[in-house]
Amino acid sequence: GKPLIALVGKPNVGKSTLFNRIVESQRQALVEDIPGTTRDRYYGEAIVYGKQFQVVDTGGMVGDSTTQQDQFSQMIKTQATIAMDEADVIVFVVDYRTGITQVDRDLARMLRNRQQKGQHVLVVANKADSHMMIEGFETDMKTTLTRFGLGEPFPMSSIHGHGVLDLLERITKLL
Ligand code: GDP
Ligand code: MG
C-alpha cells in the first residue's frame, strides 16, 4: 500500500491543522482522482512530487479539561501508539509557543525506540508564525528538541504554512 505518515503529539499542538493543510493543499494539486481517496476525518491522502502517501491524524484522542492528567497522558500515548504502529514516517509535532512538557518527553522516548527499530521520525515545532520566532528557534527551542535525539528539529506554522513544504519535502525524501 501507500506509505503512511502519522502525525503525533499532545492535544492542541496543531496536528489537525497540519493534517488539513497537507490533505487540502495537495488535493488541489492532484491531476487525477485517486480511487479510494478517503474523506474520512482522520485519514487523508496526499501526493507530493509524484509520491503518494496516506496521512493519519491522531486527533481521535479523547479527553477534556475534567480528565485527570495521568489518564489524559495515557490516552494520548495509547492513541499515538496505534497510529505509529503502521507508520512509515512519524511526524512528532510540539508546540513552540507553550514549550515542552513531560508528555512531550514521554513521546520522545517512545519515538527513539521506534527510530532505533528503523522507523523514520521528524520533529517539528509548530506555531512558529513569525520570522522572529523562526529566527528565535535557532537559539531557543532547537537545543531542547535536539536533545530528544530524534534528528534535526525545524520550525513550522500550520496556520500560515511556513515550513510545511519543507516538511513535505523531508517526508518524500524518506519514502
Ligand atoms: P491538535 O489538537 O493537535 O489537532 O491541534 P489543532 O490543529 O486542533 O489546533 C489547536 C489550536 O492551535 C487551534 O486553535 C489552532 O488554530 C491552533 N494552531 C494550529 N496550528 C497553529 C499555528 O501554526 N500557529 C498558531 N498560532 N496556532 C495554531
Ligand atoms: Mg486534532
Side-chain angles (χ1 to χ4, degrees), residues 8-10 69-78 80-81 84 90 92-94 99-115 121 144-145 147-148 150:
V8 304
K10 288 182 302 189
Q69 185 61 39
D70 283 356
Q71 293 175 317
F72 199 21
S73 300
Q74 197 50 53
M75 283 187 280
I76 294 165
K77 290 174 201 168
T78 303
T81 301
M84 286 187 291
I90 300 165
F92 179 28
V93 185
V94 302
I100 301 308
T101 66
Q102 189 56 43
V103 180
D104 293 307
R105 285 187 278 270
D106 290 347
L107 282 168
R109 193 187 313 120
M110 290 200 309
L111 290 170
R112 276 197 297 277
N113 288 333
R114 287 173 178 276
Q115 202 177 47
V121 179
T144 307
L145 292 180
R147 284 199 198 106
F148 282 171
L150 293 166

Side-chain angles (χ1 to χ4, degrees), residues 19-20 23 27 36-45 55-57:
F19 174 86
N20 287 330
V23 173
R27 183 173 290 153
T37 296
T38 178
R39 293 189 182 275
D40 186 275
R41 204 167 142 204
Y42 303 118
Y43 282 87
E45 296 203 0
V55 192
V56 56
D57 179 11

Side-chain angles (χ1 to χ4, degrees), residues 2 14 30 68 77 83 86 96 103 110 113 116 123 137-138 155 158 162 173:
K2 295 174 188 127
L30 290 178
Q68 291 294 318
K77 290 174 201 168
E86 292 185 321
Y96 185 19
V103 180
M110 290 200 309
N113 288 333
Q116 278 158 18
V123 183
F137 178 78
E138 294 294 321
S158 293
H162 305 307
K173 280 176 189 164

Side-chain angles (χ1 to χ4, degrees), residues 144-165:
T144 307
L145 292 180
T146 302
R147 284 199 198 106
F148 282 171
L150 293 166
E152 192 188 349
F154 53 98
M156 186 190 70
S157 170
S158 293
I159 279 195
H160 295 296
H162 305 307
V164 174
L165 185 60

